[in-house]
Amino acid sequence: MRIVTGTISHETNVLSNISTDLEQFRRRRLLYGEEVFDYFRDTKTPVGGLMDGCESHGFELILTVFASATPSGTITAEAFDTLLNDILEGIRKAGEIDGVALHLHGAGVSENHNDIEGHVLSEVRKVIGDKPLVSTFDLHANNTRLMVESADVLIGYDTYPHVDGYERGLEAIDVMARLFEGSLKPTKAFRQPPMMPALQVQFTGRYPMSRLIEEAHRMEEMEGVETITVAAGFPWSDFEDVGLSFIVTTNGDQKLADRLADELSDLAWGMRRDFLVKPTPVREALRKVKASVGGLFILADIGDNPGGGAPEDGTVVLRAVMEEGLEGGVFAVMWDPEAVDKASAAGLGNEVTVDLGGRTDEMHGAPLRVSGTVKTLSDGKWIVKGPMGTGSEADMGATAVLQVGGNEVIVTSKRLQPTDLELYRSLGIEPTERRFIVVKSSVHYRAAHEPIAEEVIELDTPGLTSPRLAGFGFKNLRRPIFPLDVEMLGITELKSMEDE
Ligand SMILES: [Zn+2]
């Protein structure tokens, strides 16, 4: 059996002023044909799973394109059309094939399509007719009816932090095998309760999200149920299908699919009040660190998460730490290519003064003048050892560690969410020996950092990924939607949240 694969992966934050053109994909990862094999071989990633799945089933996997950009603003029409064409041409040129298994994200928006994944799947469907079409998806997918109707089976991650991409890739090929032999006749039900949870409450390691995943797993054990996707959605894609959704796939039993999808949707709706987020004010958290006697604090700068399209150059927390006179911390990370250039020009061990961060927009704090010693210079490349994307190569571009007062600030020239401890160790920093680490991340940091933390605190920082969703002025959501529309709570919780 011959299966074609391809990837266009982008979580689009339409409020970001970083335009997503082909250069943004090149900076993160844009690979063709055999390059995809070379990069993903022996990695615990979705594409690694597709590759290993094909190998164990004895299928041939044909690579087209793998394109992934760090979350940023709307994808240009030119970039999207080019990448889509790479996939479609790859399928046409592959000759006689038996099916297509893609890996997509699910929250991509281009200038010409609000729902790029729906468009990709429907265009692929036109080329391959009724041959099997399967795709894996991120947990942040904003699933749409077009996606569900165009593919035979959609398989979303079950975890956030995303640590099951590899398993979902393997599952996709198992599903393909059953479609080939005719033992699976997929029937699907799709539900979108009017809910748009912020990122922090999408963490699958705690209630309420864990409850939805557990219920889906329980249902997957039932006879006739093939696979269930619980997608938490990504608010900043700002179009009508944004938010929480459920896809239940059964084997030839539409009634069962509908019933289970209704049950999941009702369960989520009933728990909606538990999907509110209450982060800690920055100064309150810093005073707690100050008063502590030991143990590592992980302070999450949740408003400035590059993994959700924020710039990662916000200065709010660094400024507060310096004003409070707190020491012994690491900042992971500050994106500022100019500051890296200045640091490397100054040279190792020398003093440098830079206006750090705050360059991208007005939302994340003004540039902060700091003087420090250039402690480390690096090419910013290392191999992931933690549970997210194990074995893959991370690349944060030329990187400098500045010793600013009693703290180390990691300054990078590419945007990369701090999800792995090797980030520190590759720079000679042992994270377990520090007093606190500030991570610019919403949830992904938890996979590697929670095991070494005495305490994790979510900071109420401003920025493009803040959970204060009412402040963003979204224009294109379907309304009403929780938690933006007060009447959907009908109670005092929302009021008290906004008073704070
Ligand atoms: Zn995600």
Side-chain angles (χ1 to χ4, degrees), residues 11 105 138 140 162 444:
E11 190 172 83
H105 183 287
D138 195 274
H140 293 111
H162 308 324
H444 279 327

Side-chain angles (χ1 to χ4, degrees), residues 204-455:
T204 53
R206 72 180 170 203
Y207 179 86
M209 204 56 198
S210 58
R211 177 79 186 82
L212 295 178
I213 301 291
E214 278 162 22
E215 190 59 19
H217 283 164
R218 191 188 65 79
M219 289 173 170
E220 280 177 333
E221 297 301 310
M222 296 167 66
E223 200 181 323
V225 178
E226 183 64 24
T227 186
I228 296 179
T229 289
V230 178
F234 184 69
W236 295 270
S237 298
D238 192 17
F239 75 111
E240 60 184 6
D241 288 296
V242 160
L244 186 68
S245 67
F246 302 95
I247 306 167
V248 177
T249 304
T250 53
N251 192 0
D253 190 341
Q254 186 63 50
K255 269 190 183 158
L256 178 63
D258 282 319
R259 180 169 69 77
L260 297 181
D262 282 336
E263 282 180 26
L264 284 168
S265 189
D266 291 348
L267 176 67
W269 181 245
M271 299 194 297
R272 66 191 177 282
R273 291 179 191 91
D274 301 321
F275 277 91
L276 293 171
V277 182
K278 297 209 168 184
T280 305
V282 175
R283 301 280 175 163
E284 187 183 317
L286 297 186
R287 283 193 284 271
K288 193 168 184 187
V289 177
K290 234 178 181 175
S292 75
V293 287
L296 174 66
F297 280 81
I298 301 297
L299 307 176
D301 183 354
I302 58 177
D304 189 22
N305 167 20
E312 201 177 27
D313 69 354
T315 54
V316 173
V317 185
L318 180 56
R319 186 183 303 270
V321 163
M322 289 170 69
E323 285 172 8
E324 293 282 337
L326 208 57
E327 299 192 331
V330 180
F331 284 79
V333 304
M334 181 73 77
W335 173 55
D336 193 331
E338 271 185 62
V340 175
D341 284 349
K342 281 191 179 159
S344 57
L348 213 55
N350 293 322
E351 285 283 314
V352 66
T353 298
V354 288
D355 290 322
L356 200 58
R359 294 177 194 272
T360 312
D361 60 34
E362 306 281 294
M363 295 178 71
H364 303 80
L368 183 62
R369 177 153 297 188
V370 299
S371 295
T373 313
V374 182
K375 198 177 172 189
T376 309
L377 293 169
S378 151
D379 68 356
K381 289 186 179 166
W382 38 276
I383 302 295
V384 174
K385 291 191 179 160
M388 277 187 71
T390 317
S392 55
E393 186 190 64
D395 178 7
M396 49 195 186
T399 294
V401 181
L402 300 182
Q403 180 77 42
V404 180
N407 299 297
E408 293 152 303
V409 184
I410 300 169
V411 190
T412 65
S413 36
K414 288 187 181 179
R415 298 162 62 233
L416 183 86
Q417 188 175 185
T419 58
D420 196 77
L421 302 183
E422 209 49 30
L423 186 159
Y424 311 101
R425 290 174 179 148
S426 71
L427 299 168
I429 297 170
E430 177 45 50
T432 55
E433 291 170 1
R434 296 299 186 268
R435 194 171 174 198
F436 67 95
I437 302 176
V438 178
V439 288
K440 289 181 180 290
S441 175
S442 297
V443 172
H444 279 327
Y445 66 94
R446 288 180 181 274
H449 293 80
E450 269 190 345
I452 62 166
E454 177 79 20
E455 188 170 342

